[in-house]
Amino acid sequence: MTSRSEDDSSSSEDEEIAVDEEKVQEFENKILANPYDYGTHVELLTFLDKSGDVDRCREVRERMSGIFPLTPEMWLAWIRQERLFLPLDPNRVRDTLRNLYSRAVKDYSSVRLWCQYCSDVVSVLEYSEERIREIFEQALSNIGLHVTKGDELWEQYRQYEDTLLQTIKDKLDEENCSEKEFLQDLYNKQRTRVDNLFKRQLAVPLKGLEYTMSEYKTWLGDSADIPVALQNRYELALKKREAVLSYEEALENTARPTRRSISTTLSMRGNKETLPESSV
């Protein structure tokens, strides 16, 4: 037999659900009257997100995506929500995340979005080494020239390749290694990949280029010399970067909320600048 207090509690919960549904229906009616009312779509999504209704959040996002390009923040929020289900159904969720990332980077050329994509490519999505490199190269083509933030992606890419290099080295250093010749060849090729990434980055006008050069010298070892051709490209990149940053500072001082940064323009349009190609 159900007690009165339990009945009251159940009735109260039903009333709360009814209120929520009424609010949702208000939003839906507004959207039905004007499907291009972006603000109402966002309000509905925010309301459902706070309620924890994942399925309906997904439906609203899918509907919005069919009408508007979603912002990087919206895509990342969607991706974070789907990732919560990874332990429950890894294969299905990975497929979902792959699809979402593929769609997201077509909507916006966002450094934050691409960096998160590349991070998940390495740690979550279980791609092959070849596919991981393809996505990193795709990311570089989109945001690798972003003067103030592009270095984040280059460092991610180098860290991935350097981790593979260290893994091979650890195997080579094992006492009973039975594949030394094969592993040594693999190690040499992988070291060339890392070296090539350093050289490519050092020729691009990016923030933190001096630190990258310092890292490269440490990676090479104290006795190694920087090739003259690379030193020249590096110095030219520094000059180009300073020219761009002076425009950035001037634009920041204008405080115009609708301005497009020179960095973003460079990364999207190139400004005659081309990304150094991989030789590996």
Side-chain angles (χ1 to χ4, degrees):
M1 181 175 179
T2 305
S3 69
R4 179 177 178 80
S5 62
E6 287 176 332
D7 286 339
D8 290 344
S9 174
S10 176
S11 175
S12 175
E13 288 175 3
D14 288 342
E15 288 174 4
E16 288 175 6
I17 292 172
V19 171
D20 287 347
E21 289 299 329
E22 287 176 8
K23 187 66 175 177
V24 169
Q25 194 57 52
E26 286 181 21
F27 289 129
E28 291 289 4
N29 290 340
K30 288 183 180 180
I31 291 171
L32 186 62
N34 181 9
Y36 300 100
D37 183 352
Y38 181 82
T40 301
H41 283 279
V42 173
E43 287 180 41
L44 173 57
L45 179 57
T46 302
F47 182 78
L48 291 172
D49 194 37
K50 287 179 180 178
S51 72
D53 194 331
V54 175
D55 290 335
R56 292 171 80 172
C57 281
R58 189 181 294 122
E59 291 172 6
V60 172
R61 287 180 173 119
E62 285 289 0
R63 182 171 61 189
M64 279 191 73
S65 180
I67 303 172
F68 313 101
L70 303 186
T71 66
E73 291 74 21
M74 286 182 175
W75 280 112
L76 289 170
W78 191 353
I79 287 163
R80 281 194 299 271
Q81 196 167 63
E82 296 293 349
R83 280 188 65 171
L84 295 175
F85 299 97
L86 192 62
L88 301 177
D89 193 349
N91 292 332
R92 183 192 64 78
V93 175
R94 284 193 186 96
D95 285 341
T96 298
L97 294 176
R98 290 175 187 132
N99 176 263
L100 289 178
Y101 274 121
S102 178
R103 293 164 59 189
V105 294
K106 292 175 183 176
D107 268 1
Y108 277 93
S109 187
S110 159
V111 174
R112 185 181 171 201
L113 187 55
W114 272 109
C115 285
Q116 186 60 53
Y117 184 15
C118 289
S119 176
D120 279 357
V121 157
V122 172
S123 62
V124 176
L125 301 183
E126 294 191 349
Y127 280 124
S128 66
E129 288 181 19
E130 182 181 2
R131 180 59 182 145
I132 290 172
R133 290 186 180 112
E134 286 176 357
I135 292 172
F136 266 117
E137 289 295 336
Q138 186 183 359
L140 286 179
S141 296
N142 279 272
I143 60 162
L145 291 173
H146 194 295
V147 177
T148 59
K149 297 179 181 179
D151 63 310
E152 298 173 28
L153 178 64
W154 285 96
E155 288 174 15
Q156 257 187 288
Y157 196 178
R158 280 194 289 106
Q159 184 179 26
Y160 167 70
E161 296 290 8
D162 205 40
T163 299
L164 293 181
L165 181 67
Q166 188 59 49
T167 300
I168 299 169
K169 184 178 184 303
D170 290 344
K171 291 180 180 179
L172 264 174
D173 291 342
E174 291 176 1
E175 286 187 19
N176 300 320
C177 178
S178 60
E179 301 177 300
K180 275 201 176 290
E181 187 175 341
F182 169 75
L183 287 172
Q184 187 62 56
D185 181 60
L186 201 62
Y187 176 84
N188 292 339
K189 289 178 180 177
Q190 186 60 26
R191 185 173 174 83
T192 300
R193 282 196 179 94
V194 179
D195 184 67
N196 184 48
L197 274 174
F198 267 118
K199 289 176 178 176
R200 292 171 66 195
Q201 183 178 355
L202 288 167
V204 179
L206 298 170
K207 181 193 75 175
L209 211 54
E210 298 89 344
Y211 178 72
T212 304
M213 176 59 87
S214 176
E215 273 193 304
Y216 184 46
K217 289 177 179 178
T218 300
W219 185 81
L220 286 174
D222 296 334
S223 60
D225 294 325
I226 302 298
V228 174
L230 176 59
Q231 184 67 36
N232 290 339
R233 290 196 296 272
Y234 167 69
E235 291 174 1
L236 180 60
L238 289 176
K239 290 178 181 178
K240 288 182 178 180
R241 183 193 66 184
E242 294 313 307
V244 171
L245 288 178
S246 66
Y247 282 108
E248 283 284 343
E249 291 172 4
L251 286 168
E252 286 290 347
N253 292 334
T254 65
R256 294 176 184 172
T258 58
R259 76 172 183 85
R260 177 191 292 273
S261 75
I262 295 295
S263 297
T264 303
T265 302
L266 274 175
S267 68
M268 295 178 68
R269 303 281 179 84
N271 194 28
K272 303 299 183 181
E273 194 76 47
T274 56
L275 195 68
E277 294 181 0
S278 171
S279 61
V280 179

